[in-house]
Amino acid sequence: WNRRLGWRLLFAWARHMAHLAVDFFRMPRIDAASLRDHLDTRPIEELRRAIGGERGIIWVTGHLGFWELGGHAGSLLGKPVTVVQRPASAAPINDVVNSIRTAGGQQVLAKRDVLWPLKKTLDRGGEIGLLLDEDTPERPVFVPFLGTVAATSPSAAFLHRSTGAPIAVVSCHRTGRERFCFRVWRVIRCAPTADRDADLRAICTAINEALSSAILSRPEQWLWGSRRFFTRPPGEVPGPDGLPPPAAARL
């Protein structure tokens, strides 16, 4: 690592963010007829066939690549995906964003008290999409993420444990102008035990391992400007550089 590589990464990230804004507003132009011109849909279709009659799918990704396209593509392929969003503060902006997100058949839930509606969707055999690379100050699970522990939402783990729906950790990277690559990094199936907390920790750890691999494959396409590591475990002592200690140091 050196200063030159840092500037290259920063430039690539800034270019990606500009492309991301354009791709989002163009997303409604991608319909069922043109979808395969932009994205190889075989990983989605193959995973759905492999899971077969199991109870729904929990698609998990992060703010990586063109994450909005995953649910849009899955919905265009015949099975609407229910996603969760944080509403914009201004209603007109929220209406525009929602109209773009639902153009392909996605269903959008506001990010508040959504676990029960999501569970009902999975119980019906539906599919949901969750972004799980954000800081989680309320009831977090502290597990490794990109080399250090991070406050992680247990929502996907809870839903998996309570419904049996498998978790598919995925990404949708940008590869060129209106060209994208969908990849399944890991499919998680864990039989519940009597130890609920241990189950949630194990599932969250598996999710973060897969997400970390996805991010490291294309670091310039991750929204690393967010405060992902803001919430820290009680009693943690920063390292000599003032940064959180490596996850291995806590084992």
Side-chain angles (χ1 to χ4, degrees):
W1 179 262
N2 56 45
R3 186 180 180 87
R4 183 179 179 183
L5 288 176
W7 277 108
R8 287 176 60 186
L9 177 60
L10 180 60
F11 176 78
W13 176 82
R15 182 175 58 186
H16 168 70
M17 294 306 297
H19 287 152
L20 181 62
V22 174
D23 290 335
F24 179 70
F25 285 102
R26 285 179 171 176
M27 191 168 72
R29 302 196 316 183
I30 301 177
D31 57 17
S34 65
L35 176 60
R36 291 174 178 81
D37 295 332
H38 302 275
L39 177 72
D40 182 356
T41 63
R42 286 175 296 179
I44 302 174
E45 296 165 315
E46 288 170 1
L47 181 60
R48 283 174 167 170
R49 285 196 296 269
I51 290 174
E54 292 189 39
R55 183 175 292 177
I57 302 176
I58 304 170
W59 300 98
V60 169
T61 189
H63 293 82
L64 176 66
F66 187 18
W67 65 86
E68 299 277 4
L69 184 59
H72 182 77
S75 300
L76 288 174
L77 289 171
K79 197 162 188 180
V81 179
T82 299
V83 298
V84 179
Q85 71 155 8
R86 180 180 290 107
S89 56
I93 295 177
N94 196 60
D95 291 344
V96 171
V97 171
N98 271 351
S99 69
I100 294 172
R101 284 185 170 138
T102 58
Q106 278 192 115
Q107 300 172 4
V108 177
L109 297 179
K111 193 173 184 179
R112 184 177 180 182
D113 299 326
V114 295
L115 279 181
W116 180 246
L118 293 176
K119 182 180 182 303
K120 290 174 66 177
T121 298
L122 293 169
D123 286 339
R124 294 193 299 266
E127 300 180 5
I128 66 172
L130 298 174
L131 292 165
L132 291 186
D133 63 340
E134 295 181 298
D135 184 63
T136 305
E138 297 180 8
R139 297 187 294 277
V141 177
F142 288 100
V143 291
F145 181 81
L146 289 177
T148 188
V149 297
T152 301
S153 169
S155 56
F158 171 80
L159 290 167
H160 174 60
R161 190 176 184 276
S162 60
T163 69
I167 297 172
V169 183
V170 301
S171 65
C172 187
H173 293 108
R174 189 177 196 274
T175 59
R177 183 173 180 178
E178 296 188 273
R179 297 292 184 275
F180 309 93
C181 174
F182 189 90
R183 179 170 175 180
V184 179
W185 292 88
R186 186 168 182 176
V187 178
I188 300 169
R189 298 181 178 91
C190 295
T193 70
D195 192 335
R196 174 182 176 274
D197 290 342
D199 288 350
L200 296 182
R201 179 173 294 276
I203 297 168
C204 288
T205 298
I207 291 171
N208 278 3
E209 286 177 353
L211 282 178
S212 294
S213 296
I215 291 167
L216 291 174
S217 73
R218 294 288 182 90
E220 78 284 358
Q221 293 193 24
W222 183 46
L223 194 66
W224 42 261
S226 67
R227 305 176 76 185
R228 177 66 184 94
F229 304 98
F230 182 75
T231 301
R232 306 309 307 159
E236 180 182 81
V237 178
D241 54 6
L243 298 174
R250 303 180 59 88
L251 300 179

